[in-house]
Amino acid sequence: MSGSILITGASQVLTLRGGPRRGNSLSNLGIVKDGAVLVRDGKIVAVGPRAQVDRRAEAKSAEKFDVGGRVVLPGFVDSHTHLIHAASRAEEYELKIQGASYEEIARKGGGVLNSVKKLRAATEQALKQRAASALGEFAAHGTTTLEAKSGYGLDVASELKILTLHKELNTEQPLEIVSTFLGAHVVPAEFRGKADGAEKYLDLLMEKLLPEVVVRDLAEYCDVFCDRGAFTVRQSRKLLAKAKDHGLAPRLHAEQLSRTGATQLAVDLGAASCDHLEHVNDSDIRSLAKSKTVATLLPGCDFHLGLKEYAPARKLIEAGAIVALATDYNPGTSPTMSMPMVLSLACDQLRMTPAEAIAAATINGAAALGREKTIGSLAEGKQADLAAFEVEDYREIPYYFGMNLCWMTMKRGEIVCMKD
Ligand SMILES: [Zn+2]
């Protein structure tokens, strides 16, 4: 065996060639009909029409892998997940269906604080097992890289426990995990009920936790849930500026429950992304469009909460913002590991076209994680991260909803999972 793999027999190869997409270019998938991909040492050596790739000497000696007329595309880059948590919140799901709002549930000790209580009580082994099984599901649905946030620990030991698990899982299973420190998810119970509770908690984050995260090299990004009932713009700015001094790049949960001005803060700080954006206004959209901050939309969250108001994807795209899509996998508001389902929601609810949704879930997701040079498209020199779907036309990926048509997922040239 030469060590090279030649992937052939694809009805379409979606290369997504070129950098992150804005505006009209978001629908450019760089489609090659009857395409082939040549892979060596985990990287793409050549990609293009089969006849062209076949002419290379290396292609002749390569191990052949025929995908039987399926569609091949870059593995999904899921740039927003809360991977590590101890349990589902199915009981709250039922309450929500019966009419309780997210904030009412939170006031009764439910919501994020409910997950915090369960996580603090859970063993590392149990958390790891749950996350590993979730990672298997992500891979089975075509995801090859995901971001993972802490934020269900909210004390020094528990936050470090989560971030350490990110690091361990990143090396112990095939998917790539990008770690984000979200100590500022909400103010934990023990700091509530005092006038300066939030400030005291922020001091703990900045003085005790942040330096430890940096010394142990446990995160690449720092995130803040900047919204009603969580942290203010002023508090978020203070923490993210401090994190930036420590070398952690900022990202933000912005304008989900209300408009706070978090989007403008994200742009001012040069954040990698600001995520949710259900309540952005026209000036926020203009700011995003002029910036490199990625606008990450999480329609799974609005769908699961049964909300009518989704983020204004069309306005963001038309203004020229870099729009990405992610699952927001978490136990309270978006319990899914399925990027294909997110694509269906993006098409049906955000009125994105199938092509726009796929670009938002691949190359633009990679841009949200600062990895657009290594993943997110199929091009020479990039990681061989790809997925093959059981369809003949890429539009069928979002068209079929609530089912998994991913046939094979490959990470760095290795098959991670494949249907029989
Ligand atoms: Zn989130």
Side-chain angles (χ1 to χ4, degrees):
M1 208 176 89
S2 66
S4 310
I5 308 164
L6 178 66
I7 300 164
T8 57
S11 60
Q12 299 173 328
V13 173
L14 315 182
T15 66
L16 278 295
R17 247 180 220 287
R21 267 76 163 152
R22 298 176 189 261
N24 291 337
S25 76
L26 189 63
S27 43
N28 175 11
L29 297 179
I31 301 174
V32 179
K33 284 188 184 149
D34 191 15
V37 187
L38 183 62
V39 172
R40 188 201 324 127
D41 298 331
K43 291 201 170 153
I44 295 167
V45 179
V47 56
R50 180 168 55 98
Q52 205 178 306
V53 177
D54 265 353
R55 277 200 292 275
R56 299 171 72 105
E58 187 177 347
K60 295 188 175 58
S61 59
E63 183 190 342
K64 309 291 186 293
F65 181 22
D66 190 329
V67 298
R70 296 175 175 90
V71 170
V72 169
L73 70 159
F76 295 124
V77 181
D78 189 348
S79 58
H80 185 136
T81 88
H82 302 254
L83 175 67
I84 309 266
H85 50 265
S88 96
R89 299 215 305 261
E91 68 288 359
E92 291 178 15
Y93 177 55
E94 193 175 34
L95 290 174
K96 273 180 276 192
I97 293 164
Q98 291 163 340
S101 76
Y102 178 65
E103 285 161 304
E104 275 162 9
I105 290 170
R107 274 197 298 275
K108 287 180 192 152
V112 173
L113 291 181
N114 182 359
S115 288
V116 170
K117 211 187 291 170
K118 288 178 179 162
L119 186 133
R120 288 179 180 176
T123 65
E124 271 164 56
Q125 201 196 355
L127 292 172
K128 197 177 201 172
Q129 238 164 39
R130 185 178 172 84
S133 112
L135 288 163
E137 287 296 324
F138 279 105
H141 288 82
T143 294
T144 47
T145 300
L146 66 152
E147 185 254 17
K149 303 175 194 295
S150 66
Y152 292 123
L154 309 187
D155 62 30
V156 174
S158 308
E159 284 293 301
L160 292 175
K161 176 161 83 174
I162 299 171
L163 294 167
T164 305
L165 287 173
H166 291 167
K167 196 171 184 175
E168 288 175 14
L169 285 162
N170 192 36
T171 58
E172 293 169 11
Q173 56 76 54
L175 301 195
E176 194 171 338
I177 298 173
V178 179
S179 181
T180 294
F181 171 50
L182 178 62
H185 197 178
V186 295
V187 178
E190 60 273 24
F191 283 85
R192 293 192 176 209
K194 303 162 205 149
D196 59 350
E199 299 296 332
K200 287 254 157 56
Y201 180 59
L202 281 175
D203 288 345
L204 171 83
L205 292 183
M206 291 191 287
E207 282 152 32
K208 294 249 165 50
L209 201 38
L210 200 51
E212 204 58 41
V213 171
V214 173
V215 166
R216 300 193 199 183
D217 191 23
L218 295 179
E220 202 171 312
Y221 291 98
C222 183
D223 193 347
V224 178
F225 188 22
C226 179
D227 215 320
R228 197 165 69 195
F231 295 90
T232 65
V233 168
R234 188 189 57 77
Q235 291 164 340
S236 305
R237 185 191 301 275
K238 193 165 134 191
L239 176 61
L240 291 172
K242 185 91 173 177
K244 218 172 160 182
D245 289 345
H246 277 89
L248 298 190
R251 49 192 335 120
L252 271 160
H253 281 69
E255 337 289 5
Q256 179 191 4
L257 308 169
S258 61
R259 185 179 175 275
T260 63
T263 301
Q264 191 55 51
L265 173 63
V267 171
D268 291 346
L269 291 169
S273 73
C274 59
D275 305 24
H276 279 292
L277 308 180
E278 282 83 347
H279 292 93
V280 281
N281 67 17
D282 288 346
S283 118
D284 298 328
I285 293 173
R286 276 195 300 275
S287 289
L288 277 170
K290 278 188 271 173
S291 78
K292 286 186 178 167
T293 298
V294 175
T296 301
L297 309 183
L298 311 166
C301 186
D302 304 302
F303 172 76
H304 182 74
L305 294 176
L307 302 177
K308 300 280 173 289
E309 198 171 345
Y310 284 75
R314 289 256 52 94
K315 277 187 170 181
L316 285 158
I317 294 166
E318 276 147 30
I322 306 172
V323 171
L325 287 165
T327 59
D328 191 16
Y329 170 59
N330 80 79
T333 62
S334 191
T336 183
M337 301 90 166
S338 171
M339 282 299 275
M341 180 66 195
V342 169
L343 297 188
S344 296
L345 291 172
C347 293
D348 300 337
Q349 303 298 327
L350 302 179
R351 314 314 294 172
M352 291 170 74
T353 65
E356 288 172 335
I358 289 172
T362 53
I363 187 64
N364 283 7
L369 299 180
R371 279 163 168 71
E372 68 274 16
K373 298 244 163 35
T374 52
I375 57 171
S377 65
L378 304 180
E380 291 78 7
K382 279 195 150 182
Q383 281 185 31
D385 291 6
L386 51 89
F389 272 73
E390 198 88 58
V391 294
E392 279 175 47
D393 181 313
Y394 73 86
R395 288 171 294 198
E396 292 170 326
I397 299 173
Y399 165 84
Y400 289 104
F401 67 91
M403 48 197 293
N404 186 15
L405 295 178
C406 180
W407 175 70
M408 183 274 300
T409 307
M410 180 180 275
K411 178 71 186 175
R412 297 188 183 99
E414 303 279 343
I415 294 173
V416 177
C417 52
M418 193 162 122
K419 280 187 189 165
D420 301 330

